Coordinates of all heavy atoms in Angstrom, one line a residue:
L234 N -18.3 -4.7 -2.0 CA -16.9 -4.8 -2.2 C -16.5 -6.3 -2.1 O -15.7 -6.8 -2.9 CB -16.1 -4.0 -1.2 CG -14.6 -4.1 -1.3 CD1 -14.1 -3.6 -2.7 CD2 -13.9 -3.3 -0.2
C235 N -17.0 -7.0 -1.0 CA -16.6 -8.4 -0.8 C -17.1 -9.2 -1.9 O -16.4 -10.2 -2.4 CB -17.2 -8.9 0.5 SG -16.3 -8.1 2.0
G236 N -18.3 -8.9 -2.5 CA -18.8 -9.6 -3.6 C -17.9 -9.5 -4.8 O -17.7 -10.5 -5.6
K237 N -17.5 -8.3 -5.0 CA -16.6 -8.0 -6.2 C -15.3 -8.7 -6.1 O -14.8 -9.4 -7.0 CB -16.4 -6.5 -6.3 CG -15.5 -6.1 -7.5 CD -15.4 -4.6 -7.6 CE -14.6 -4.1 -8.8 NZ -14.6 -2.7 -9.0
L238 N -14.7 -8.7 -4.9 CA -13.4 -9.4 -4.6 C -13.6 -10.9 -4.8 O -12.7 -11.6 -5.3 CB -12.9 -9.0 -3.3 CG -12.4 -7.6 -3.1 CD1 -11.9 -7.4 -1.6 CD2 -11.3 -7.2 -4.0
S239 N -14.7 -11.4 -4.3 CA -15.0 -12.8 -4.4 C -15.0 -13.3 -5.8 O -14.4 -14.3 -6.2 CB -16.3 -13.1 -3.7 OG -16.7 -14.5 -4.0
S240 N -15.6 -12.4 -6.7 CA -15.7 -12.7 -8.1 C -14.3 -12.6 -8.8 O -13.9 -13.5 -9.6 CB -16.6 -11.7 -8.8 OG -16.7 -12.0 -10.2
I241 N -13.5 -11.6 -8.4 CA -12.2 -11.5 -9.0 C -11.2 -12.6 -8.7 O -10.6 -13.2 -9.5 CB -11.6 -10.1 -8.6 CG1 -12.4 -8.9 -9.2 CG2 -10.1 -10.0 -9.1 CD1 -12.0 -7.6 -8.7
I242 N -11.2 -12.9 -7.4 CA -10.1 -13.8 -6.9 C -10.7 -15.3 -6.9 O -9.9 -16.2 -6.8 CB -9.7 -13.4 -5.4 CG1 -9.2 -12.0 -5.4 CG2 -8.6 -14.3 -5.0 CD1 -9.0 -11.4 -4.0
N243 N -12.0 -15.4 -7.0 CA -12.7 -16.7 -6.9 C -12.5 -17.4 -5.6 O -12.0 -18.5 -5.5 CB -12.1 -17.6 -8.1 CG -13.0 -18.9 -8.2 OD1 -14.2 -18.9 -7.9 ND2 -12.4 -19.9 -8.8
I244 N -12.8 -16.7 -4.6 CA -12.9 -17.2 -3.2 C -14.3 -16.9 -2.6 O -14.9 -15.9 -3.0 CB -11.8 -16.7 -2.3 CG1 -11.8 -15.2 -2.2 CG2 -10.4 -17.2 -2.8 CD1 -10.8 -14.6 -1.3
P245 N -14.7 -17.6 -1.6 CA -16.0 -17.3 -1.0 C -16.0 -15.9 -0.3 O -15.0 -15.6 0.4 CB -16.2 -18.4 0.1 CG -15.3 -19.5 -0.4 CD -14.1 -18.9 -1.0
S246 N -17.0 -15.2 -0.5 CA -17.1 -13.8 0.1 C -17.1 -13.9 1.6 O -16.7 -13.0 2.3 CB -18.3 -13.0 -0.4 OG -19.5 -13.7 -0.1
A247 N -17.6 -15.1 2.2 CA -17.6 -15.3 3.6 C -16.2 -15.3 4.2 O -16.0 -15.2 5.4 CB -18.4 -16.6 4.0
H248 N -15.2 -15.6 3.4 CA -13.8 -15.6 3.8 C -13.1 -14.2 3.9 O -12.0 -14.1 4.3 CB -12.9 -16.5 2.9 CG -13.3 -18.0 3.0 ND1 -12.6 -18.9 2.3 CD2 -14.2 -18.6 3.7 CE1 -13.2 -20.1 2.6 NE2 -14.1 -19.9 3.4
L249 N -13.9 -13.2 3.4 CA -13.4 -11.8 3.5 C -14.0 -11.1 4.7 O -15.2 -10.9 4.7 CB -13.8 -11.1 2.2 CG -13.3 -11.8 0.9 CD1 -13.8 -11.1 -0.3 CD2 -11.7 -11.8 0.9
I250 N -13.1 -10.9 5.7 CA -13.6 -10.4 6.9 C -13.1 -9.0 7.2 O -11.9 -8.8 7.5 CB -13.2 -11.3 8.1 CG1 -13.7 -12.8 7.7 CG2 -13.8 -10.9 9.4 CD1 -13.1 -13.8 8.6
P251 N -13.9 -7.9 7.1 CA -13.3 -6.6 7.4 C -13.0 -6.4 8.9 O -13.7 -6.9 9.8 CB -14.6 -5.7 7.1 CG -15.5 -6.5 6.2 CD -15.3 -7.9 6.7
S252 N -11.8 -5.8 9.1 CA -11.4 -5.5 10.5 C -10.8 -4.1 10.7 O -10.6 -3.7 11.8 CB -10.4 -6.6 11.0 OG -9.2 -6.5 10.2
E253 N -10.6 -3.4 9.6 CA -9.9 -2.1 9.7 C -11.0 -1.0 9.5 O -11.8 -1.1 8.6 CB -8.8 -2.0 8.7 CG -7.9 -0.8 8.9 CD -6.6 -0.9 8.1 OE1 -6.0 -1.9 8.2 OE2 -6.3 0.1 7.5
K254 N -10.8 0.0 10.3 CA -11.8 1.1 10.2 C -11.0 2.4 9.7 O -9.8 2.4 9.6 CB -12.4 1.4 11.6 CG -13.1 0.3 12.2 CD -13.6 0.5 13.6 CE -14.3 -0.7 14.3 NZ -14.7 -0.4 15.7
K255 N -11.8 3.5 9.5 CA -11.1 4.7 9.1 C -10.1 5.1 10.1 O -10.3 5.1 11.3 CB -12.2 5.8 9.1 CG -11.7 7.1 8.5 CD -12.9 8.1 8.3 CE -12.4 9.4 7.7 NZ -13.5 10.4 7.5
T256 N -8.9 5.5 9.6 CA -7.7 5.6 10.5 C -7.9 6.7 11.6 O -7.8 6.4 12.8 CB -6.5 6.0 9.7 OG1 -6.3 5.1 8.6 CG2 -5.2 5.9 10.5
L257 N -8.3 7.9 11.2 CA -8.6 8.9 12.2 C -10.0 9.5 11.9 O -10.1 10.4 11.1 CB -7.5 10.0 12.0 CG -6.1 9.6 12.4 CD1 -5.1 10.8 12.1 CD2 -6.0 9.3 13.9

Side-chain angles (χ1 to χ4, degrees):
L234 178 62
C235 289
K237 181 174 182 175
L238 293 177
S239 173
S240 176
I241 292 171
I242 307 172
N243 192 24
I244 57 175
S246 58
H248 291 183
L249 302 173
I250 307 167
S252 65
E253 190 165 314
K254 303 175 183 178
K255 189 174 182 180
T256 309
L257 295 172

